[in-house]
Amino acid sequence: MTEKTKERASRNRTLTVNADEIPALEQQIYSCDDLSDNFADDIIVNCDLFDCLDKIPNRYFDLIIIDPPYNLDKDFHGRKFSSMKSDVYEDYLRSWFYKVCEKLKDDGSLYMCGDWKCTSSMQKIIEERLTIINRITWQREKGRGAKSNWKNGMEDIWFAVKDPKNFFFDVESVKMKRRVIAPYKENGKPKDWEETSSGNFRITYPSNFWDDISIPFWSMPENTDHPTQKPEKLYAKIILASSKAGAKIFDPFMGSGTSAVVAKKLNRHYCGVEINKEYCLWAAKRLNNAELDSSIQGYSDGVFWERNSLGEQKKASLKKRQS
């Protein structure tokens, strides 16, 4: 739509939308005017957030996931965001964050993504309306190195709630399956780990440092050309931990639709707002694809696996089917 069709290698699985697919996909996308009549679940809205926030009901969502523009110069396919002084960026955050918080139920949770440059500003603004429970840091193994600085390989996610004494959190749903490097036995039997035909593994509770995330790349079907796309696995952890099946999830900066797609795959309801029409088309197609394939890379058999463990995951899945 906005660029010439890129020539891609035969093994490149990056999602694209052809011209003949657009009319059908457009039928799945709401406009700001569509929200005037009534509000429904499971929608993606192509609209400027400032134009539609007042049309979205307050205290409606169990979980809000926010991945706003960071305080960087970034081109989102023709829509450019420019870096600014911290105090100006904080005013920008306030211009929509306060109203977004009104959409959260009293026992709901909110997560906001950021990088090293803007994370302190985000913490400040979040604390003006909510109580921060934790800061998650995840390892972002992608991007170019820097010759005159340390490579930026980490990002933060702030976890906050309205009521610190009343919010949902299910740690059992986000346990991790890790290889056991030095297996310890007691009376000749594995202690706190399992011996399997594909290796030795331990089921562990998650920490607030996530080193098992793979950034979407060209050989993954979830990949799009969005410049700051978040991995489905990343959002799956948030959604499973902080919402129940059937919960309502809001994403005010939806991008290429990762929050909506993961919500659908995990049996939650979704509402995403995105100003870029092309991104909405990608999101709509990804939601259609989720009807046929609800798998999430790195999440299977009810646990999150380490990075680069696809072989072990396939063996475990095959063994489960055979048993």
Side-chain angles (χ1 to χ4, degrees):
M1 288 179 61
T2 57
E3 303 177 67
K4 285 177 134 185
T5 303
K6 295 181 179 180
E7 292 291 331
R8 303 183 190 272
S10 59
R11 293 175 57 216
N12 191 320
R13 302 177 73 186
T14 299
L15 179 138
T16 58
V17 171
N18 299 322
D20 58 353
E21 296 177 293
I22 292 176
L25 293 174
E26 286 178 331
Q27 297 301 310
Q28 301 173 225
I29 300 171
Y30 280 58
S31 70
C32 190
D33 291 338
D34 293 328
L35 300 180
S36 300
D37 300 327
N38 52 31
F39 189 83
D41 293 326
D42 302 327
I43 59 173
I44 53 179
V45 186
N46 180 209
C47 184
D48 188 315
L49 180 64
F50 295 99
D51 293 335
C52 69
L53 265 178
D54 289 337
K55 298 181 180 181
I56 296 174
N58 292 339
R59 292 184 176 86
Y60 188 80
F61 297 99
D62 302 280
L63 173 63
I64 297 177
I65 303 174
I66 311 176
D67 183 21
Y70 297 174
N71 195 9
L72 302 167
D73 293 324
K74 183 66 68 173
D75 186 345
F76 295 95
H77 288 79
R79 295 185 180 275
K80 296 183 179 180
F81 190 90
S82 301
S83 62
M84 55 195 81
K85 291 183 178 180
S86 293
D87 59 337
V88 179
Y89 183 71
E90 289 164 11
D91 285 340
Y92 161 73
L93 294 176
R94 287 189 187 95
S95 69
W96 51 262
F97 182 73
Y98 289 2
K99 281 197 171 185
V100 167
C101 287
E102 293 174 359
K103 312 306 169 186
L104 188 65
K105 290 181 180 179
D106 290 339
D107 61 351
S109 298
L110 180 146
Y111 289 76
M112 185 186 290
C113 304
D115 72 344
W116 69 270
K117 188 175 181 181
C118 64
T119 194
S120 59
S121 293
M122 289 180 171
Q123 178 184 10
K124 179 179 179 180
I125 303 310
I126 293 170
E127 287 181 326
E128 292 175 358
R129 283 293 185 273
L130 305 175
T131 299
I132 290 178
I133 301 298
N134 211 328
R135 182 185 73 179
I136 299 159
T137 298
W138 63 284
Q139 190 174 22
R140 189 181 175 283
E141 279 299 315
K142 190 177 181 181
R144 298 176 181 174
K147 292 183 178 180
S148 59
N149 198 349
W150 306 103
K151 177 182 175 180
N152 183 19
M154 303 287 182
E155 289 195 15
D156 287 336
I157 306 175
W158 292 99
F159 167 31
V161 300
K162 279 189 173 181
D163 183 352
K165 294 182 180 179
N166 182 29
F167 64 94
F168 176 80
F169 191 80
D170 180 13
V171 73
E172 296 294 327
S173 69
V174 286
K175 284 186 174 180
M176 298 188 63
K177 190 164 186 173
R178 292 188 176 276
R179 295 181 185 88
V180 177
I181 306 301
Y184 175 74
K185 294 187 177 183
E186 192 174 78
N187 298 322
K189 295 182 179 180
K191 182 175 173 58
D192 299 326
W193 58 277
E194 181 185 6
E195 208 167 13
T196 74
S197 58
S198 57
N200 302 326
F201 296 94
R202 175 181 287 114
I203 305 297
T204 67
Y205 284 98
S207 73
N208 62 350
F209 173 63
W210 298 353
D211 61 353
D212 61 315
I213 305 297
S214 294
I215 298 294
F217 55 93
W218 59 268
S219 67
M220 296 168 65
E222 71 181 83
N223 190 52
T224 73
D225 284 323
H226 192 284
T228 61
Q229 181 182 347
K230 293 295 186 290
E232 290 186 9
K233 185 179 183 182
L234 186 79
Y235 280 7
K237 288 175 179 259
I238 294 171
I239 289 172
L240 285 169
S242 288
S243 71
K244 301 176 184 178
K248 303 176 190 297
I249 299 171
F250 179 44
D251 183 345
F253 297 91
M254 186 187 64
S256 61
T258 299
S259 61
V261 170
V262 177
K264 182 171 185 173
K265 288 182 177 183
L266 297 177
N267 300 311
R268 274 72 168 171
H269 297 290
Y270 59 86
C271 171
V273 177
E274 172 55 48
I275 194 171
N276 188 304
K277 177 69 174 292
E278 187 170 24
Y279 295 171
C280 288
L281 292 169
W282 296 346
K285 184 169 180 176
R286 291 178 68 190
L287 286 164
N288 291 347
N289 291 344
E291 295 275 1
L292 304 174
D293 182 5
S294 63
S295 64
I296 295 172
Q297 183 274 332
Y299 174 70
S300 62
D301 298 323
V303 292
F304 288 91
W305 293 67
E306 294 176 293
R307 186 189 289 129
N308 301 323
S309 61
L310 185 58
E312 289 87 348
Q313 292 176 52
K314 288 180 177 178
K315 289 179 184 177
S317 179
L318 178 62
K319 185 177 178 181
K320 185 177 180 180
R321 289 198 301 269
Q322 293 174 340
S323 62

